[in-house]
Amino acid sequence: MAGNGMTRRTTLRSGAGVIAAGVLSAPMVHAQGTGGTLRCGFWDHWVPVGNDVMRRLCAEWGQRNRVDVQVDFITSVGNQNLLTIAAQAQSRSGHDILSFPTWEPAAHARLLEPVDDVIGRLVAKYGPVNPIGEYLAKRDGKWVAIPAVSGSQQKPSLARFDLLKQHAGIDVQAMYPAANQTGPGVDQWNWDNFLIAAEKCAQAQVPFGLPLGSFSDAVDWVGSMFRSFGATLVDERGNVTVRSNPAVRQVLEYAVRLCRFLPNDVYAWDDASNNRALISGRSALIFNPPSTWAVARRDAPAVAEKCWTFPMPAGPQGRFTPYLPYFWGIWSFSRAKPAAKALLEFLSEREQAEAQTTTSSGYDIPPFNTMTDFKIWETEGPPTGVVFNYPVKPHHHAQQNIAFAPAPAEIAVQGYNQAVNTKMIARVAQGGETIDQALNWAERELRNFARG
Amino acid sequence: MSADTLSVDTRLAPQPGTGSLRRFTRRRSTIAFLMTLPLLLVIVCLVAYPAAYGVYLSTLNRTMERSIGLGNFEILFDTDTFWNVVWQSCIFAITAVIAKALIGFWLAHMLHHIPTKGQRKWRGMLLVPWVIPPALSTLGWWWMYDPSYSSINYLISIVGAPPVPWLGEPIWARAAIIIVNVWVGAPFFMIMYLAALKSVPEQLYEAAAIDGATGFQRLRYVTVPMMANIISITVLFSLIVTFANYDIVRVLTNGGPRDLTHVFASYAFQVGILSGNIPRGAAVSLFMLPILAVCAFFVLRGVTRRNKEQM
């Protein structure tokens, strides 16, 4: 060593310098070659191939933009997605993009990156986002999440057209054919005639399968019924209107009458009970996405062939279809915000939206009204056209609805998840309380939701 | 500390010039502290910190941006549903624990009198409900109770009885939840009581027999006093676990119908996670603490008193 003038100390110092330079320059070299890494946590779709299309679209976009897109699918079974969101929000770490169920964007608005620029470009291309998407994802004038295609669903009427025709004299295929037009009897498809049909079907041992528990299927259809009567429980300023709004009493009286023609255990039904009721042939009508029909196609083809999807009955204030959207949000602590926005914009474009909806057999509902004409809704069957009227189309003269709107989201989410609307009905119809007692209870609960 | 150890300590006493660090590390209290440190760390990280964080959370407002002190508790006290939950949790826990204790006691006695060879087989079979993960076994019970397709109702219908709305009517739903909890938890009592029974000296029974004690008197004056501590500890442990039960209610009824089967844990989850009000959910969870603390105080005081009497 002494011969070449290099001491041990010099050699070590030089070696350390080389290693340090290599380590420090590595990210730069990496960044020049690719656009970095984007970690996405999407909703684990009920339809298994629904995940495949998301994986394919992300890979396609990643290759094109030289971004390593890592995709995880987080199930909503056991509320795993809610727990993941809560954990990541608490720890300020995790994915860059997450799928947020209905009420979560509002709950985590402070921690979500505004996406007005993305929404602005999408709106310019495809027209306005539906009002419920805006109600749920726009906070203080800013969009905090993008209404997603994958996972967003509606819950219109899904019925056995043969049973309705036979027992209630209603031809739903004629009313709502698989075409952009309505047929005879549409103006009679209201809650009054629905009650008569419910009675006739109950007498024929095929009662309507309408859950009245605390799961979302129950809260959603009851929410749409309340809305079509004009029965808002909390107004947009957060004032509880349970007792001051006469429509609430009116819809409650109606619902109690309707309960007489439902199975006596609907108060314990979960989100699968109504599906089973239809698939097993025990029920003539439920309110659900076409996933029930898809299961019937596999397990009970004879039942599936006689199913038809069509809008909810109308009330004095109009016709409202339950809508349960998912959202794609970007955490404010993400280090890949530009890439995340670009990916979400790509996924929301018509071509990609149609790919998602098609792969999910028509289950996924895009947030733009201009995207209600995808081919899959015309061709899916048997019977062909069974889901043609699944998305809300202009000729339906219907609106999408989320229960407890237009209350401020932080109050509405509590009312929704604690099923105040279905419990009001159950308290009277099952618990034997008077309508006034039920109204008083609901008023106190909702007032407390607004406190604190 | 033995004399040998003391002599070793003396020999290892610091020599002049040895550093104070060495003296410190060789002090018995330091060694004891170092050896308990892993346990202390586990307790601090997994018990103390979450508990303190839970208390902190319960003092925040809904958006978790500012403190509202005891505001969440005040709101809960003003909520009808919450008081229902308190009432139901007490009914659920007390009824289930009493049933588990009685069934466990009876099973333990039955097993105790079976010859050792056959006993192992029965013991294994009776432990099965306790060994299966509760979420899984509860799902099995849910299928049996299913509102529309209950297999129990099918069996009932064979004898011509009307179907029972197991999960649809509040009384039946409460009973259904308690039945599942007892089914899962009774084997734990059984195995604990069986162990206690085996440790009761046979001479005591012989003495009681010589004194002419009846079977009931032997149970009353020998078996129960000898098992009292195990019974107390088991009841306390089960009370805590049953009060904090979540999975059975969640799988079977989700708190319904009309919130009439909610217990603290299921209601806390609904309020905290599902409804996005984590501070109020934390307040619901913490409400269990004083109830259980009072129970624990009385039970452990009884155990200590009995130990002193026996010494």
Side-chain angles (χ1 to χ4, degrees), chain A residues 79 82 90 110 214-215 265 268 270 276 280 282 410 414 417-418 423 430 444-445 448-449 451, chain B residues 53 62-65 78-81 142 146-149 167-168 250 254 258-259 274-275 277 280:
Chain A
N79 300 114
L82 294 184
Q90 286 285 301
R110 288 175 299 119
S214 55
F215 288 90
D265 54 2
D270 63 13
R276 285 198 298 273
S280 64
R282 290 189 182 193
E410 58 272 18
Q414 297 180 76
N417 282 303
Q418 296 185 42
K423 284 174 194 162
Q430 191 199 30
R444 282 196 305 276
E445 291 285 312
N448 282 336
F449 293 160
R451 292 169 65 190
Chain B
Y53 192 60
R62 192 176 49 226
T63 54
M64 300 167 71
E65 287 169 319
D78 197 28
T79 306
D80 296 346
T81 307
W142 180 78
D146 183 279
S148 306
Y149 311 99
L167 304 177
R250 178 74 182 150
N254 196 33
R258 293 181 278 127
D259 289 328
L274 297 181
S275 304
N277 198 338
R280 204 170 297 171

Side-chain angles (χ1 to χ4, degrees), chain B residues 157-172:
Chain B
S157 71
I158 291 173
V159 295
V164 176
W166 289 104
L167 304 177
E169 283 288 341
I171 289 184
W172 284 114

Side-chain angles (χ1 to χ4, degrees), chain B residues 8-68:
Chain B
V8 169
D9 283 347
T10 314
R11 275 187 273 115
L12 292 176
Q15 301 299 313
T18 308
S20 60
L21 182 64
R22 183 174 291 181
R23 279 203 307 280
F24 175 73
T25 54
R26 289 195 174 172
R27 212 180 285 160
R28 272 185 294 169
S29 59
T30 308
I31 292 168
F33 175 74
L34 287 174
M35 291 181 79
T36 53
L37 195 59
L39 181 62
L40 286 175
L41 280 175
V42 168
I43 290 173
V44 167
C45 294
L46 299 183
V47 180
Y49 172 72
Y53 192 60
V55 173
Y56 164 71
L57 281 178
S58 72
T59 63
L60 299 178
N61 72 333
R62 192 176 49 226
T63 54
M64 300 167 71
E65 287 169 319
R66 62 186 170 83
S67 170
I68 54 167

Side-chain angles (χ1 to χ4, degrees), chain A residues 5-217:
Chain A
M6 284 278 282
T7 62
R8 189 178 60 174
R9 191 176 294 272
T10 314
T11 308
L12 285 173
R13 193 180 293 148
S14 308
V18 168
I19 291 168
V23 170
L24 289 172
S25 63
M28 188 58 74
V29 172
H30 178 72
Q32 284 168 353
T34 73
T37 301
L38 190 61
R39 292 159 305 167
C40 309
F42 291 123
W43 175 63
D44 188 9
H45 210 293
W46 301 130
V47 183
V49 285
N51 291 349
D52 294 342
V53 71
M54 292 299 286
R55 206 178 277 119
R56 179 176 65 75
L57 291 172
C58 288
E60 187 184 315
W61 181 88
Q63 271 183 341
R64 201 183 299 165
N65 295 279
R66 291 186 300 172
V67 173
D68 175 23
V69 185
Q70 296 174 358
V71 181
D72 296 320
F73 293 98
I74 304 165
T75 181
S76 52
V77 175
N79 300 114
Q80 188 61 45
N81 55 346
L82 294 184
L83 293 167
T84 304
I85 292 167
Q88 296 194 3
Q90 286 285 301
S91 65
R92 308 284 198 271
S93 66
H95 294 90
D96 298 296
I97 294 172
L98 265 188
S99 285
F100 289 83
T102 317
W103 299 100
E104 293 301 297
H108 298 286
R110 288 175 299 119
L111 290 172
L112 290 172
E113 175 72 9
V115 286
D116 296 274
D117 47 347
V118 180
I119 292 283
R121 287 192 292 275
L122 290 171
V123 168
K125 272 196 239 176
Y126 307 118
V129 173
N130 67 58
I132 298 302
E134 187 169 348
Y135 162 72
L136 292 165
K138 203 169 181 182
R139 305 292 293 166
D140 302 324
K142 287 181 185 169
W143 286 89
V144 295
I146 297 168
V149 182
S150 177
S152 294
Q153 55 169 292
Q154 288 179 174
K155 298 178 181 177
S157 313
L158 175 60
R160 287 277 301 273
F161 59 79
D162 58 329
L163 295 178
L164 279 183
K165 196 186 286 184
Q166 183 188 347
H167 301 301
I170 298 172
D171 187 348
V172 294
Q173 286 181 304
M175 276 197 319
Y176 288 103
N180 286 319
Q181 62 187 52
T182 52
V186 164
D187 50 342
Q188 296 302 308
W189 183 233
N190 55 36
W191 287 107
D192 289 335
N193 288 323
F194 182 86
L195 186 68
I196 295 168
E199 182 176 6
K200 288 178 177 170
C201 286
Q203 285 166 352
Q205 302 299 313
V206 280
F208 290 176
L210 310 181
L212 280 168
S214 55
F215 288 90
S216 71
D217 280 3

Side-chain angles (χ1 to χ4, degrees), chain B residues 104-248:
Chain B
F105 195 79
W106 176 70
L107 284 174
H109 268 271
M110 295 292 110
L111 274 181
H112 189 54
H113 292 103
I114 293 176
T116 315
K117 193 180 169 193
Q119 201 184 94
R120 198 181 304 162
K121 192 168 57 191
W122 284 103
R123 209 164 52 203
M125 282 194 289
L126 286 168
L127 273 176
V128 167
W130 190 58
V131 175
I132 301 174
L136 212 61
S137 55
T138 309
L139 207 57
W141 277 97
W142 180 78
W143 283 327
M144 291 196 280
Y145 287 142
D146 183 279
S148 306
Y149 311 99
S150 163
S151 57
I152 300 176
N153 280 352
Y154 172 75
L155 294 174
I156 289 175
S157 71
I158 291 173
V159 295
V164 176
W166 289 104
L167 304 177
E169 283 288 341
I171 289 184
W172 284 114
R174 283 175 176 162
I177 285 167
I178 290 169
I179 288 169
V180 177
N181 189 271
V182 170
W183 180 80
V184 171
F188 169 72
F189 279 80
M190 177 199 76
I191 207 75
M192 295 294 281
Y193 291 168
L194 187 62
L197 275 176
K198 285 183 186 298
S199 67
V200 178
E202 201 57 36
Q203 297 90 319
L204 294 180
Y205 291 113
E206 286 167 9
I210 291 165
D211 289 345
T214 62
F216 178 75
Q217 283 170 325
R218 276 193 302 229
L219 181 75
R220 168 77 181 78
Y221 296 107
V222 179
T223 310
V224 171
M226 291 303 288
M227 290 174 66
N229 279 353
I230 288 286
I231 291 174
S232 304
I233 298 283
T234 314
V235 164
L236 174 65
F237 183 76
S238 178
L239 200 63
I240 292 169
V241 173
T242 311
F243 250 111
N245 189 277
Y246 168 76
D247 37 18
I248 294 175

